Amino acid sequence: MNKLQRLLQNKILILTICAAGIGGTFQYGYNISIINAPASYIQTFMNTTWLERTGAPLESNVILLLWSFTVSAYPLGGLTGAVVAGPMAIMLGRKMSLLLNNVFVIIAAALSGFSRMAKSFEMIMLGRFFTGMNAGVSMNIQPMYLAESAPKKLRGAVALTSASFTALGLVLGQVVGLRELLGREESWPFLLASNVVPALIQLTALPWFPESPRYLLIDRGDKESCISALQKLRGTSDLSAELEEMLAEQAAVKGQRAKNPWELFQNPSLRWQLVSIVVLSSAMQLCGNDSMYSYAAYVFQEAGIPQDKIPYVVIGTGSCELITSVTCNMIIDYAGRRPLLLGGYIFMAGWAIVFMVALSQQTQISWMPYLSMACIFAYILSFGIGPAGVTGVLPTEVFDQMSRPAAYMICGSLLWFNLFLVGTAFPFIVKSLAHFCYIPFLVVCVCTALYVGFFLPETKGKSFLEISEEFKKRNFKTKAHAGFYKGPEEIKTTTLVLHLCSANAVPALFAAFISCQKMSYNLFLLPFVLGIGGGFQYGLQVSIINSPAEYIKSFIRETWLKRYGSSPSEDMITLMWSFIVSIYSIGGLLGSSSTGYLAVRFGRKKSMLLANIPALLSAALMALSRLCGSFEMIIAGRFSAGLCAGLSLNIHLMYSGECAPRKLRGLIAITASTAVAFGKFVGFALGLREVLGAEALWPVLLAANAVPALIQLLTLPFFPDSPRYLLIDKKDKEACIKAVEQLWGDGDHMAEINDMISEEEAIRGEKAKGLCDLLRDRAVRWQLITLFLVASCSHFNGGIVVYFYAYNIFIKAGIPPDQIHYVSLGLGTTEILSTALCGILIERAGRKTLLWKNYTVMTLALGLLTVTLFLQDSFFWVPYCSVALVFIFILSFGVGPGGVLCSLITEIFIQSYRAAAVVFNGLVSWIQLFILGLVFPFIVEGLGNFCFLIFLTYCLTVAVFVFLVMPEPKGKTMLQILEEFNRLNYRGKKRQTVLQQSNCSVMTVTRL
């Protein structure tokens, strides 16, 4: 309310907004809508004119072609205007450019107004081109002018008035186009020429108002004119803070000239700003809001609204956009830019789905037309409240003074090009997809929402330099000067390199490469060695059993017949097969249970080597099973394989996380999930008939797990044990330092070692905790809850169900059954790529962000998959949507929970609890896998396609938990993460009480 009062006190600023808007973006909205009413009259005029000229009428398709040229001339003119807007803004200034821009619309009005008198429809086309030029210039320069003239706290609301004037123009264009005003046949030239009125108003009013203060100071260097303009706009003489900010920006760009568009593409310091405006400007037109108006008349007619009343209802859609843009003005500086964009695109995606379903059932269900009508209004509301207004503000905020005109040129060019593209392609999309033509727009909305959620920083209430600093963190990998660890033991080698990289503006990828060069290659080889005998074995055994299923059942049948002289029943075969499959989980459960004891008793490295023994035993049993005529050997082999997977996967997670330095902890730990995904992929590939999937080779296929076991046995002995285990569990500081040097290379790593010593001091005198201690101890209550929910969701997220339905989905999509195995390789490849992507993002986005956002995407994917499976046989294109959703789900799982869980186990538990936590995680995972294997067939039988609703609910629950409760462990030491959880474990208690009650509380360690 105070902001509104300050705005009302300043009449000059308000009048400037009105003067700029009436001849600016108002023209864009007005000229879009006034062309609709006289469409049939203009086409008749074209035919009549041609008949008078040549004596022959035009064919209907030629008339349609000429009309499409008339309509398309507007966006082509807009594209031209957007290109010239940048140079105009630089050479003439913001205000003079807006004034000069009215020349284009006056020429356009004269051409359109006299076209019938001159009997020339070519004049209408040329007039529309000049109208487009006017709109292209104003759409770029008006937001720039207003945002640069507004105070920082009102910048969003003032810049958003551009969207409000666009909506106002849209509504007035619809009103003026009514038959009662200028919508009659004899009045259409006056209707097309009516855009001269706002141009004349602006030419009369705008000269009385000041130029942009920023342009005057930074571009022209005229400080006195800048102060004078500020005094007029603010109505006060206290301008010191605002002037100081402008002077700082002037100093930052001193000696620079205004940039050209191609220079923005070449400048790495503007990379993410450019990507952001390209994505958001393109989405403005590709989201389908303008196309929604195309369906309005049809939907309103189906809803029972009389034909002659529909134009009045259509005005309601324009009014709807006007109201939302005004609402957006009021809340943008309260809610922020990012939430409005994110919410707008998410709601638009949701309404697009409902709208398509409603259109498809329009003639089947009586109330569907009303739902369609509600969807039109809801879609336009969602567009107006977010993307319509906020997108125009962002180029001003995210670019500095020298880059801003070029940014608006790119932004405007994309807007007009995409408007032309949608206008050209939309009729063909409707023809091909019918009522489901909104699928491309739905994809655009979802992708844009994901981009905003993951990459776009908030600009609300920040100065231009502060916003530039936010993007600089993304454009360059910088080293934080005020990290969590402070003291002389800073890692000087890495820090120095990164400071130099930052100072010289080296791109983030290059800086990361230089940083990695300081680490020993052993650190990056170790995850491969651990993975080949760890997570890889788990993934391999999960996927390798699918291909020879029929061959193994035949082998059981033949063996039974030889032994007992009669064939077993199908129920017995099914029972034996289910036992072969489920015994793997029982072996995994046992292997996980033994992890804690082995990891503490023998260390991480030796335990990992021991895990290969059951793998070799398993391979020998299954390879010799057919030769010995014993299917029981397959059962025993699967049990041993599960024992290996349960033990090695848990040790892998613990070992890799403990060996990594803090800055690379997430990346190194996440290689476990990549190894699992790669194991699944190799299992699918080996199971192909062209490789080891033939009937004669199934024993060799099942014995393939011997190869990774042998590779690890030969390579792992050359690597050291976990430094944390050596220091904290074995109390061997010299061995710890030696291991650190071997893994991380030469350099001063005392900061990391001191962090380990601090953890050792905090748990001094304590033995390694057991599983019962973990369940009882209040000090780890919320860590345990977090681990349980996230680990449970790895199985209860519906991934198994997605894989179960994948075969039927691929069949429905027209993929031949003998080719589906190759498509399954695509699923495995997607999981590998997604976990690799998680490794790239985890240290940038953080664990918490990746978890809750990807759980949200998985929830949406499962919901949409339920709908598409329900409509699988109704429309030819629905199976393809189901295929896409399967890949989206797997991608989201790999980027989020599939990868982050590997890092989370190591990070949220300190050394004394870590082994027990890994055991707990393994037990939960294997028990749930076993239970789900038993219960899943009954779930599918009972709920059918709606079985995803159970998993959808669980994903949504965990997303909410992570977002609201779980602390972010990124970039923190183990003790700092512990302190975060202590606030949850001992909520409401004083710190001193916490330290007394918690056996592993943070201790202050003083070093000489």
Side-chain angles (χ1 to χ4, degrees), residues 339-349 379 382-383 385-387 445:
L340 290 179
L341 279 173
L342 187 61
Y345 280 114
I346 289 174
F347 278 115
M348 287 164 70
Y379 198 90
S382 303
F383 177 76
I385 202 73
C445 290

Side-chain angles (χ1 to χ4, degrees), residues 396-648:
T396 298
E397 295 189 316
V398 304
F399 287 94
D400 60 32
Q401 191 77 7
M402 297 296 106
S403 305
R404 200 169 293 134
Y408 268 103
M409 286 173 65
I410 295 170
C411 185
S413 300
L414 284 169
L415 186 146
W416 288 100
F417 174 76
N418 287 312
L419 179 63
F420 178 77
L421 183 67
V422 171
T424 305
F426 186 64
F428 300 99
I429 295 173
V430 173
K431 186 177 180 180
S432 302
L433 299 179
H435 298 316
F436 294 92
C437 59
Y438 258 70
I439 287 176
F441 304 127
L442 168 65
V443 172
V444 169
C445 290
V446 171
C447 292
T448 308
L450 290 174
Y451 177 83
V452 172
F454 279 104
F455 299 110
L456 186 70
E458 179 56 75
T459 58
K460 180 187 77 171
K462 297 177 182 176
S463 69
F464 291 112
L465 291 180
E466 289 170 338
I467 295 167
S468 177
E469 191 64 29
E470 286 285 330
F471 275 101
K472 187 178 179 182
K473 295 173 185 175
R474 296 187 178 277
N475 293 321
F476 300 100
K477 186 177 178 67
T478 57
K479 181 75 176 178
H481 295 274
F484 291 107
Y485 178 81
K486 295 181 180 180
E489 303 91 346
E490 192 172 357
I491 307 176
K492 298 178 178 61
T493 54
T494 308
T495 304
L496 178 60
V497 170
L498 286 177
H499 278 315
L500 290 172
C501 293
S502 174
N504 293 297
V506 180
L509 185 62
F510 184 60
F513 174 76
I514 293 175
S515 176
C516 291
Q517 292 294 307
K518 291 295 176 180
M519 292 292 174
S520 169
Y521 288 112
N522 289 334
L523 179 63
F524 302 100
L525 290 174
L526 180 61
F528 291 100
V529 175
L530 290 177
I532 198 69
F536 180 87
Q537 289 280 28
Y538 172 80
L540 182 70
Q541 289 297 326
V542 165
S543 60
I544 212 171
I545 197 66
N546 296 321
S547 177
E550 293 303 321
Y551 306 143
I552 294 173
K553 290 178 182 178
S554 298
F555 171 66
I556 295 172
R557 189 178 293 108
E558 292 168 6
T559 304
W560 192 281
L561 181 61
K562 287 180 182 178
R563 287 184 188 176
Y564 305 110
S566 62
S567 296
S569 64
E570 286 301 316
D571 290 340
M572 179 59 69
I573 296 291
T574 304
L575 178 63
M576 297 302 294
W577 173 248
S578 66
F579 196 53
I580 288 172
V581 173
S582 60
I583 197 70
Y584 177 69
S585 301
I586 296 173
L589 184 64
L590 184 60
S592 292
S593 303
S594 61
T595 300
Y597 171 77
L598 292 174
V600 175
R601 177 71 177 80
F602 298 105
R604 285 37 167 170
K605 177 180 168 182
K606 289 181 181 178
S607 299
M608 199 73 188
L609 291 170
L610 285 173
N612 292 293
I613 296 175
L616 295 174
L617 177 62
S618 161
L621 288 168
M622 290 192 283
L624 299 173
S625 59
R626 186 168 62 180
L627 186 64
C628 298
S630 171
F631 57 80
E632 293 87 353
M633 292 175 70
I634 301 176
I635 296 173
R638 286 285 291 172
F639 176 81
S640 295
L643 192 66
C644 164
L647 178 60
S648 62

Side-chain angles (χ1 to χ4, degrees), residues 986 990-1002:
Y986 301 98
K990 293 183 178 179
R991 178 176 173 85
Q992 186 62 35
T993 308
V994 172
L995 294 175
Q996 290 175 357
Q997 290 185 349
S998 175
N999 291 327
C1000 55
S1001 44
V1002 181

